[in-house]
Amino acid sequence: MTVKTALETFSAIQAKIDALDHAGGILYYDGSTVAPPASTEHRGETLGYLSELGYNLATSKETCDTVDYLLAHEDELTAEQKRNVKLFNKDREYMQSIPLEKYTAFQMLQNKASAVWHEAKQKKDYAMFAPYLQQLIDTSIEFAHYYKPDKYHYDVMLDSKETGLDVKQCDEFFDTVKSGIVPLIKKVLAKKTIDDSFLFGSFPTADQRKITDAIIDFEKLDPQRSVCGETEHPFTTNFSTEDVRITTHYYEDGFVSSMYSVAHEGGHALYELGINPAYNKTSLSGGVSMGIHECQSRFFENIICRSKAFCDFILPKLKEIFPEQLKGVTTDMYYRAINKAAPSLIRTEADELTYPLHILIRYEIEKAIMAGEVTVDELPALWNAKYKEYLGVDVPDDTRGILQDMHWSEAMFGYFPSYALGSAYGAQILSVMKKTIDVNGDIAKGDVSNISAWLHDRIWQYGSLYDPKELFENAVGAPFDPHYFIDYLTEKYTEIYNL
Amino acid sequence: MTVKTALETFSAIQAKIDALDHAGGILYYDGSTVAPPASTEHRGETLGYLSELGYNLATSKETCDTVDYLLAHEDELTAEQKRNVKLFNKDREYMQSIPLEKYTAFQMLQNKASAVWHEAKQKKDYAMFAPYLQQLIDTSIEFAHYYKPDKYHYDVMLDSKETGLDVKQCDEFFDTVKSGIVPLIKKVLAKKTIDDSFLFGSFPTADQRKITDAIIDFEKLDPQRSVCGETEHPFTTNFSTEDVRITTHYYEDGFVSSMYSVAHEGGHALYELGINPAYNKTSLSGGVSMGIHECQSRFFENIICRSKAFCDFILPKLKEIFPEQLKGVTTDMYYRAINKAAPSLIRTEADELTYPLHILIRYEIEKAIMAGEVTVDELPALWNAKYKEYLGVDVPDDTRGILQDMHWSEAMFGYFPSYALGSAYGAQILSVMKKTIDVNGDIAKGDVSNISAWLHDRIWQYGSLYDPKELFENAVGAPFDPHYFIDYLTEKYTEIYNL
């Protein structure tokens, strides 16, 4: 073996694993968007077999020998090659730590649990989902122990979503955020409530699709390389820089939900579409972490699309689509309405100010689950109690409570904190970006080219080349500081509510 | 090895091949329905790798040993097991006859050619498709030679679509059909033309989707196990009896095209949904031949949905959806309009009477291609000349000419005759069915349960258990006789046109 032949072998192995991931990903997307309900079991079996093939490829003797050889010769590799091998090896070590039959069984469990969650959410029936959730938790803990027997399993999960993150850092972050925003929320709630009634009414799906098109056009998502589907819970998925899918969900009683879902998922998609295409089929492909990813999505959703400048730009278009419903609405009315801060039930519909509390609730519940302090049967009561405590709202049913998010049905434990982290990253990015770009001026003109170029140059193009901490610090030229987020919210809501 | 262990091994191998076929099939469906344009190349690579895995599985030493053992012990197998092994072995022998790299390259070629055909059709640019068509033809001939070096390659292709079919039989069949319908068409064209102008105008897609729902409801396609997507060219695809997909294409200037596409594809889907679910993941799954398949689809499209009884049933529903456009239209007017016989350009839009000539043209062109009597560059001229000769129409562009069908872009040479065969099978089935079922009475009530039960009992449930000839003869209790088809058309058009 030489470094050259080893790199060739490695590249061929990565291409095969990519093909299996691609096939599995399309099966998943198809299952979430258009597949008939009875297809679930068969899809699970196929996904199970594909994951078995992927496991065998990633852990074969040829793969191990090749990767070991490259690791032993890392001085002869470029920085990109070195990082690619190291990230691949991390995945290999993870897989090798888990017995094959458990690994594939888990793929099938996730497929099944996801289908059961869909049904349970529709039927407001947490009990039917609970046994699957139990298995997902047990297996996730079991796998974390296999992989890192010496580390606390929830730390392993947090680290897998955001390299370096652990419970201690999360606690500190949320403490800072909480101390900044809880008093702010109190002040806001003491003020007169904002009228946002015109956002609700009758908004036919066919017309809402025109808003989707407008947002996609505004964000400049390339239609050659991306599409928008419809699902119960919006998400983004990517198969290469040539194929990135977003989804949304239309509710006919209001257009804001889908509109801001598209804005959000569009941010994820821009990140994926902007990665160096040379990274396709390598471990450098894809966004580096959930926190950096949620930073992009929430930057577009909130910092851009809930700004006053964007309201100036978009309201005339909305009025073209819904002339009756939005008659007499001014930019100021619209801006205040879509930023109305109020305690609410649904995370994805929450305003920027109360949103971190929705995340905090999930983080605290995950912590309790992972510490064994709460049983699966007790979770709805705990959920409802925390919504009462932090947001003062009564949860009427589990569909609007613990069943609202898909994440746990896919064993995405440790994911939620990245939403709050991402929001906070975004505020710090904005403060730096504003030094060289007329952010609001550009947005008001419907021109995101400078903003996207900034993000592309400093973040998107690198894919997984750098750890999130290094990537972020390079981008903003300073360590992460959540106070930017508190300052951003304070300034924005002080102005809106005249505090 | 014992028969019991061999069967277990065989079953496990079939399950794995099924998983790969399932993944490949979903990738294809996704590519045809929702994938962004730039995804083509990546999908081709993934399909190539999946087909390589399938090839290796189907031709591995373990597979060969197992299949050989079971063939040597066929006396100990049930009839179903024996047929399953034999059909599987046929596929294995086909694959083994072709070198792996050519086999996978062909999968990738088909994926690419399909995408190029889509673009060429949109751009009316046959020249961009021609080099791919040349490769598809060359490779199909090469593969037929590999597989059956002693047989004429077009016979091999015809046989692969309809077991036992060859050029000689096809010629005889088309001669019979031609001698029956050409004089009939002449008589019809001498009569006053039927007014079908009310079928054209403005029919928004959103409303046409309601017709789709009505047809699906009429045919009783199970929504748990089937869905309808949208594609350039309608098709049906099946992944198991729990997941059968149909597609349609909406044209806003008329509703008949999509409506009858759905009726047609629905017939395919009913066949697949009706197969014994125990055959999933075996070589007994799926309809046995293209002829039997097109028989089901064209039975529902034409014999049922272009009958007067169906017009009685559906017209009130159509009027609910399009009250303005169909104002004053009577059942008789509607029945005559959707059966208006006229020479035309597009196969899928053709009436039942002239339809076989569209097929005859394609069959004669394929014969000429396969006999090396025409080059790819000469094909548009040959196509246009035959449309002039048989149907008297001038082809204005290749989009409405040689580029109209997707079949050749997927190397489905030898497929077209099955459309005419299937139509003829259907007429004979109708004559037998009518002895025990009040076919028109049931259709007028919107009740296809007896008709579907008849087809299910005699055809659908058997999947690929019997060869098409045996299946058909068992179903109707007599050999195939195309004169039933001529009689059916003569009776129908004599009445419509008062001949």
Side-chain angles (χ1 to χ4, degrees), chain B residues 211-346:
Chain B
I211 304 183
T212 297
D213 293 342
I215 300 292
I216 285 173
D217 187 52
F218 168 74
E219 293 190 354
K220 294 279 170 282
L221 286 166
D222 180 357
Q224 290 293 309
R225 302 186 291 141
S226 58
V227 287
C228 182
E230 292 175 32
T231 48
E232 174 63 30
H233 191 299
F235 66 84
T236 302
T237 190
N238 54 297
F239 307 112
S240 79
T241 55
E242 306 305 301
D243 186 355
V244 178
R245 317 275 177 97
I246 66 172
T247 70
T248 190
H249 188 113
Y250 296 106
Y251 297 96
E252 298 215 323
D253 61 351
F255 64 92
V256 171
S257 173
S258 171
M259 174 174 163
Y260 284 88
S261 285
V262 173
H264 177 99
E265 304 304 334
H268 283 303
L270 285 169
Y271 185 10
E272 291 295 337
L273 291 165
I275 293 172
N276 184 346
Y279 297 170
N280 283 329
K281 303 186 194 175
T282 76
S283 296
L284 303 180
S285 70
V288 68
S289 74
M290 298 304 129
I292 300 293
H293 239 304
E294 291 301 333
C295 170
Q296 308 316 302
S297 55
R298 295 188 59 79
F299 195 90
F300 276 88
E301 176 191 357
N302 294 321
I303 293 180
I304 295 181
C305 290
R306 289 189 201 269
S307 69
K308 196 177 250 172
F310 181 73
C311 297
D312 276 329
F313 168 75
I314 201 71
L315 186 60
K317 293 181 200 309
L318 294 176
K319 285 187 165 188
E320 272 174 36
I321 299 169
F322 296 117
E324 285 307 312
Q325 296 94 323
L326 297 177
K327 206 175 209 168
V329 174
T330 64
T331 299
D332 194 59
M333 286 164 68
Y334 176 73
Y335 171 63
R336 285 163 52 82
I338 56 146
N339 284 295
K340 175 182 174 179
S344 63
L345 288 167
I346 308 294

Side-chain angles (χ1 to χ4, degrees), chain A residues 76-146:
Chain A
E76 298 168 54
L77 304 180
T78 66
E80 287 180 342
Q81 288 167 341
K82 204 189 300 185
R83 173 79 176 174
N84 181 19
V85 174
K86 290 203 167 183
L87 285 176
F88 182 90
N89 192 48
K90 199 174 165 186
D91 284 346
R92 173 185 73 142
E93 285 180 348
Y94 172 72
M95 285 191 197
Q96 275 186 316
S97 74
I98 297 162
L100 170 60
E101 58 287 359
K102 295 205 176 189
Y103 183 80
T104 57
F106 191 50
Q107 303 299 312
M108 293 163 74
L109 170 64
Q110 280 172 280
N111 177 67
K112 177 71 184 172
S114 175
V116 171
W117 167 77
H118 270 94
E119 198 182 338
K121 185 175 175 183
Q122 266 165 13
K123 293 184 176 164
K124 305 183 182 181
D125 185 356
Y126 175 77
M128 75 182 284
F129 177 57
Y132 292 91
L133 182 56
Q134 183 71 62
Q135 287 182 65
L136 290 164
I137 293 167
D138 293 346
T139 314
S140 298
I141 293 173
E142 189 184 12
F143 282 15
H145 288 162
Y146 277 131

Side-chain angles (χ1 to χ4, degrees), chain B residues 140-156:
Chain B
S140 297
I141 294 174
E142 187 185 15
F143 283 14
H145 289 161
Y146 277 130
Y147 179 45
K148 297 278 180 194
D150 302 331
K151 285 185 74 174
Y152 176 52
H153 49 259
Y154 192 41
D155 281 344
V156 177

Side-chain angles (χ1 to χ4, degrees), chain A residues 107-214:
Chain A
Q107 303 299 312
M108 293 163 74
L109 170 64
Q110 280 172 280
N111 177 67
K112 177 71 184 172
S114 175
V116 171
W117 167 77
H118 270 94
E119 198 182 338
K121 185 175 175 183
Q122 266 165 13
K123 293 184 176 164
K124 305 183 182 181
D125 185 356
Y126 175 77
M128 75 182 284
F129 177 57
Y132 292 91
L133 182 56
Q134 183 71 62
Q135 287 182 65
L136 290 164
I137 293 167
D138 293 346
T139 314
S140 298
I141 293 173
E142 189 184 12
F143 282 15
H145 288 162
Y146 277 131
Y147 179 45
K148 296 279 180 195
D150 301 331
K151 284 185 75 175
Y152 177 52
H153 49 261
Y154 192 42
D155 282 343
V156 177
M157 297 175 201
L158 288 167
D159 177 81
S160 76
K161 305 292 176 288
E162 193 75 4
T163 310
L165 191 67
D166 59 20
V167 170
K168 187 170 162 285
Q169 283 179 53
C170 257
D171 284 347
E172 282 168 15
F173 168 70
F174 279 112
D175 282 348
T176 306
V177 170
K178 208 160 55 167
S179 67
I181 69 168
V182 167
L184 192 58
I185 292 173
K186 268 200 189 143
K187 281 194 220 166
V188 163
L189 294 183
K191 288 280 182 169
K192 199 172 151 247
T193 183
I194 289 171
D195 176 21
D196 62 352
S197 58
F198 55 85
L199 299 177
F200 304 95
S202 175
F203 299 89
T205 295
D207 293 322
Q208 288 197 50
R209 290 203 179 95
K210 295 177 197 161
I211 303 183
T212 298
D213 293 342

Side-chain angles (χ1 to χ4, degrees), chain A residues 197-420:
Chain A
S197 58
F198 55 85
L199 299 177
F200 304 95
S202 175
F203 299 89
T205 295
D207 293 322
Q208 288 197 50
R209 290 203 179 95
K210 295 177 197 161
I211 303 183
T212 298
D213 293 342
I215 299 292
I216 285 173
D217 188 52
F218 168 74
E219 293 190 356
K220 293 278 170 281
L221 285 166
D222 180 356
Q224 290 294 309
R225 303 187 290 140
S226 59
V227 287
C228 181
E230 291 176 32
T231 48
E232 174 64 30
H233 192 298
F235 66 85
T236 301
T237 189
N238 55 298
F239 306 113
S240 79
T241 54
E242 305 305 301
D243 187 354
V244 178
R245 318 274 178 97
I246 67 171
T247 71
T248 188
H249 187 113
Y250 296 107
Y251 297 95
E252 298 215 323
D253 61 351
F255 64 90
V256 170
S257 173
S258 171
M259 174 173 164
Y260 284 86
S261 286
V262 173
H264 177 98
E265 304 303 335
H268 282 303
L270 285 169
Y271 185 12
E272 291 294 338
L273 291 165
I275 293 172
N276 184 348
Y279 297 169
N280 282 329
K281 303 184 193 177
T282 76
S283 297
L284 303 180
S285 70
V288 68
S289 74
M290 298 305 129
I292 300 293
H293 239 305
E294 292 300 334
C295 169
Q296 308 314 304
S297 55
R298 295 186 63 77
F299 193 90
F300 276 88
E301 176 192 356
N302 294 322
I303 292 180
I304 295 182
C305 291
R306 289 189 202 268
S307 68
K308 195 177 248 172
F310 181 74
C311 298
D312 276 329
F313 169 75
I314 201 71
L315 187 62
K317 295 182 200 304
L318 295 176
K319 284 186 165 188
E320 273 174 35
I321 300 169
F322 296 116
E324 284 308 311
Q325 295 94 321
L326 297 178
K327 207 175 209 166
V329 174
T330 64
T331 299
D332 193 59
M333 285 164 69
Y334 177 72
Y335 171 63
R336 287 163 50 84
I338 55 146
N339 284 295
K340 175 181 172 178
S344 64
L345 288 167
I346 308 295
R347 174 183 64 84
T348 56
E349 322 270 303
D351 58 273
E352 278 178 280
L353 184 58
T354 59
Y355 186 88
L357 296 184
H358 290 262
I359 299 303
L360 176 65
I361 289 170
R362 285 154 179 77
Y363 171 61
E364 289 188 353
I365 292 175
E366 281 193 359
K367 268 211 301 185
I369 292 172
M370 294 305 163
E373 293 165 3
V374 60
T375 69
V376 158
D377 292 341
E378 293 163 354
L379 287 178
L382 179 61
W383 180 285
N384 300 351
K386 289 210 178 273
Y387 263 81
K388 190 71 185 174
E389 178 192 348
Y390 282 112
L391 288 157
V393 294
D394 292 305
V395 177
D397 54 56
D398 291 333
T399 294
R400 283 172 281 183
I402 193 163
L403 288 173
Q404 70 182 263
D405 293 310
M406 67 167 181
H407 301 64
W408 290 344
S409 77
E410 299 183 355
M412 288 157 77
F413 304 108
Y415 189 116
F416 281 118
S418 31
Y419 288 105

